[in-house]
Amino acid sequence: MEIFKNDPNFDFLGRRRIGFGLSAVLLVLSIGSLLWQGLNLGIDFTGGTLVEVGYEESVEVAEVEAALQGTDYADAQVLHFGSPREIMVRIPPMEDLEQAAISQEILAKLREAHDGVELRRVEFVGPQIGRELTEQGLLALLYALGGVLVYVAFRFEYRFALGAVAALVHDIVLILGFFSLTRLTFDLTVLAALLATVGYSLNDTIVVSDRIRENFLKVRKGTTEYVMNLAINQTLSRTLVTSFTTLLVVGALLFLGGETIHGFAMALLVGVLVGTYSSVFVASASSLAMGVSKQDLLPPEKEGQDQEDHESAIPPAERP
């Protein structure tokens, strides 16, 4: 499927400074928020007890908090979960109390304040397990980035690898910044979405890099910027179609998948958008800024009709 009847001719790399500027602003906002207020970590990472209850009618968070005042759970985090009739109560680790006792005591207090409160779900994660999950999650991200660096350096050239890793780090920081700014819960499902975004963004970057290498072999006399711009334009239809179809699925998960996978779907939505942007404006532009040139991948020059055909397509202004 092609969006454009002919290959477009957008000057993406000619506007790379605008892209770098936009990325810099978003990165500063994201890192600033992460340093200032951090992430709203879920029970998977902090440990503790999560109690989900359902009401017959809509209830305000303040009413539930008031019902828990005067108990050991006065500092519990209370928030709506999916609808105004569903409430989630998060309690930090309490070593002196049993998990079953915590949920039953909370349920009893809430029933004293409102009739018809139903217990929907109880989860418990110990503090040691939470720390282990945090460490393993960070290691998974580092292993993924290291594997990408080695793979792209082996398949292409080390500056392509650095550009690809720069794009992936850019994507991960922006997703983390989005969750920090919006205070959405960051749990294991969001971490899984981060790793999926690494794979998605890398796939786009590999496709563009592969086309750049092909063009370096075919187009001998265009500038490096022209050849890389040509590759981005040639793969633009594929990039947009892939992103659009992926967003359709992610949108269905986000709006129809329920509250349990809402964070996962939201992280994927942001990841697909920033991954598409970074594959065009960050990965290739970073490689170009680091000085990659066609001589790095170019075999000995050969005479041929195919070469002449491509050279004839180069605008006079792009010819050296």
Side-chain angles (χ1 to χ4, degrees), residues 12-294:
F12 292 110
L13 293 180
R15 296 177 173 81
R16 61 184 181 277
R17 289 179 180 80
I18 298 175
F20 282 148
L22 177 61
S23 293
V25 171
L26 294 176
L27 287 173
V28 168
L29 284 175
S30 299
I31 294 172
S33 179
L34 288 169
L35 293 176
W36 178 256
Q37 58 185 359
L39 291 167
N40 180 22
L41 294 175
I43 192 174
D44 301 330
F45 298 112
T46 62
T49 304
L50 183 150
V51 180
E52 183 185 337
V53 297
Y55 286 77
E56 292 179 342
E57 298 178 351
S58 300
V59 63
E60 295 296 330
V61 169
E63 296 179 57
V64 180
E65 291 175 337
L68 295 176
Q69 292 301 313
T71 69
D72 293 333
Y73 318 111
D75 296 330
Q77 183 182 13
V78 180
L79 63 159
H80 283 124
F81 186 76
S83 75
R85 295 190 304 166
E86 295 173 299
I87 289 290
M88 184 171 68
V89 182
R90 287 176 50 187
I91 301 98
M94 305 179 75
E95 297 179 356
D96 297 334
L97 296 177
E98 294 291 334
Q99 175 196 358
I102 292 174
S103 59
Q104 291 304 319
E105 288 180 15
I106 289 177
L107 186 62
K109 284 294 179 183
L110 298 183
R111 282 176 172 169
E112 288 178 7
H114 291 85
D115 294 330
V117 181
E118 295 181 356
L119 182 63
R120 299 283 176 80
R121 177 168 61 114
V122 178
E123 290 184 12
F124 172 75
V125 178
Q128 179 62 31
I129 295 176
R131 283 192 291 271
E132 290 178 0
L133 288 174
T134 302
E135 294 172 2
Q136 291 171 359
L138 291 175
L139 286 175
L141 277 177
L142 291 177
Y143 290 153
L145 292 177
V148 168
L149 184 67
V150 173
Y151 170 72
V152 179
F154 176 76
R155 181 171 175 182
F156 296 98
E157 207 261 350
Y158 79 92
R159 277 166 288 201
F160 279 102
L162 294 176
V165 170
L168 295 180
V169 172
H170 167 276
D171 298 346
I172 291 171
V173 171
L174 291 192
I175 296 172
L176 292 175
F178 176 82
F179 274 78
S180 176
L181 287 167
T182 58
R183 308 310 295 160
L184 291 174
T185 302
F186 187 92
D187 55 20
L188 279 180
T189 64
V190 179
L191 179 62
L194 268 183
L195 293 173
T197 299
V198 169
Y200 178 87
S201 180
L202 176 65
N203 183 50
D204 262 0
T205 302
I206 291 294
V207 169
V208 174
S209 299
D210 207 34
R211 184 57 63 93
I212 290 173
R213 181 172 60 180
E214 288 180 12
N215 286 346
F216 276 160
L217 301 179
K218 294 177 180 178
V219 183
R220 299 297 183 89
K221 294 188 178 180
T223 63
T224 301
E225 180 177 328
Y226 169 78
V227 173
M228 296 179 78
N229 231 349
L230 182 64
I232 295 173
N233 278 286
Q234 288 172 337
T235 56
L236 188 59
S237 285
R238 177 258 172 212
T239 300
L240 294 179
V241 169
T242 303
S243 299
F244 176 71
T245 52
T246 306
L247 286 175
L248 288 179
V249 177
V250 173
L253 288 176
L254 182 64
F255 295 109
L256 304 175
E259 194 65 26
T260 304
I261 61 171
H262 183 268
F264 174 80
M266 182 59 76
L268 271 185
L269 178 69
V270 178
V272 170
L273 292 176
V274 299
T276 303
Y277 164 80
S278 68
S279 67
V280 174
F281 283 102
V282 178
S284 300
S286 297
S287 301
L288 183 63
M290 285 184 281
V292 71
S293 68
K294 57 184 177 182

Side-chain angles (χ1 to χ4, degrees), residues 287-317:
S287 301
L288 183 63
M290 285 184 281
V292 71
S293 68
K294 57 184 177 182
Q295 281 72 28
D296 296 320
L297 298 171
L298 197 63
E301 187 171 351
K302 295 180 180 179
E303 298 292 337
Q305 184 62 41
D306 186 51
Q307 173 184 337
E308 294 174 0
D309 291 342
H310 283 283
E311 289 173 1
S312 63
I314 302 174

